[in-house]
Amino acid sequence: MIEVLIDIASISFWFALATSGIAAALIGLFFLSAVVCGVAGGVVGGIFKRRK
């Protein structure tokens, strides 16, 4: 009975770990894309301002 509980605990632990890992990866990608978009927007805006 204890072994079954340990199995369930380990499965739930790994599931929680995977879920948090996926969530962290998604948040990281979101922030990274936001930063890239901000930098690209700043560069494009600077180029357009220089041309005007």
Side-chain angles (χ1 to χ4, degrees):
M1 188 64 193
I2 292 168
E3 289 172 3
V4 173
L5 287 173
I6 290 168
D7 283 346
I8 292 166
S10 65
I11 288 166
S12 61
F13 170 75
W14 285 115
F15 181 74
L17 200 69
T19 305
S20 61
I22 290 164
L26 285 173
I27 291 165
L29 280 170
F30 177 75
F31 276 114
L32 192 67
S33 62
V35 168
V36 168
C37 285
V39 170
V43 169
V44 169
I47 289 166
F48 274 116
K49 280 177 184 173
R50 282 180 192 168
R51 284 189 178 173
K52 286 178 181 177

